[in-house]
Amino acid sequence: RPEFKGVLKVSEVTGLMELHCPSYKRQLKYVGSAIVTLVLLVGAFFVMILSLNLQGYVHEHEDNYHPFHYPWLSILAEDGHAFDSASFWKCYIPVVLHVTVVTCMNLTYRSIAEKLTTWENHETVISHENSLICKRFFFRGV
């Protein structure tokens, strides 16, 4: 890959000079990329939980606590409120908000994933593309 960065070193196989990057440096960058991706995945999961509250799918029951229930949001989906789930059109407002936020997050993560993958310093185009595909697949899956 033309963007691959390293130091010139004699190849043990061919005896010719070639660029070399120590594997420990790449491994550290993989861990850094994984941490950034994980933080962004947690953010996407949180947005999904908030959206489910706005749509009225998450309820707190009298006898048990629900960890993903946010009463200040779920009350908006109750009858007569801003996102009344029984209303013909008000129930679609949180869905449109969710689609808009997720689309923006996907576009943002696409750029971040490309920068992270370039930073990882993959030696081959195939390795670079596979890493980018994996990142984008996991993020879109959430």
Side-chain angles (χ1 to χ4, degrees), residues 7-20 123:
V7 294
L8 283 174
K9 185 177 178 182
V10 176
S11 169
E12 295 176 4
V13 177
T14 64
L16 301 173
M17 297 295 282
E18 64 180 28
L19 288 176
H20 174 75
E123 188 171 0

Side-chain angles (χ1 to χ4, degrees), residues 60-66:
E60 186 172 45
H61 299 285
E62 299 155 5
D63 55 342
N64 62 3
Y65 168 76
H66 195 294

Side-chain angles (χ1 to χ4, degrees), residues 43-53 55 58 98 102 142:
F45 181 75
F46 186 67
V47 166
M48 182 179 65
I49 296 301
L50 295 179
S51 176
L52 290 172
N53 274 273
Q55 294 176 53
V58 182
H98 180 76
V102 167
V142 171

Side-chain angles (χ1 to χ4, degrees), residues 9-130:
K9 185 177 178 182
V10 176
S11 169
E12 295 176 4
V13 177
T14 64
L16 301 173
M17 297 295 282
E18 64 180 28
L19 288 176
H20 174 75
C21 180
S23 62
Y24 76 90
K25 284 186 178 181
R26 277 196 307 249
Q27 299 299 328
L28 285 173
K29 289 182 178 187
Y30 295 159
V31 170
S33 288
I35 290 170
V36 169
T37 301
L38 183 63
V39 167
L40 294 171
L41 284 172
V42 168
F45 181 75
F46 186 67
V47 166
M48 182 179 65
I49 296 301
L50 295 179
S51 176
L52 290 172
N53 274 273
L54 281 175
Q55 294 176 53
Y57 291 117
V58 182
H59 303 283
E60 186 172 45
H61 299 285
E62 299 155 5
D63 55 342
N64 62 3
Y65 168 76
H66 195 294
F68 299 130
H69 180 250
Y70 294 96
W72 51 275
L73 282 177
S74 64
I75 197 168
L76 295 173
E78 293 179 3
D79 292 342
H81 287 85
F83 307 133
D84 183 353
S85 57
S87 169
F88 176 72
W89 65 274
K90 288 181 180 179
C91 63
Y92 293 112
I93 296 171
V95 176
V96 171
L97 287 172
H98 180 76
V99 168
T100 304
V101 170
V102 167
T103 301
C104 289
M105 289 176 69
N106 279 331
L107 290 172
T108 302
Y109 184 69
R110 180 180 188 160
S111 172
I112 291 170
E114 288 171 1
K115 289 176 184 169
L116 286 172
T117 306
T118 300
W119 177 69
E120 289 171 358
N121 197 27
H122 292 272
E123 188 171 0
T124 65
V125 172
I126 291 173
S127 175
H128 178 86
E129 288 177 355
N130 286 341

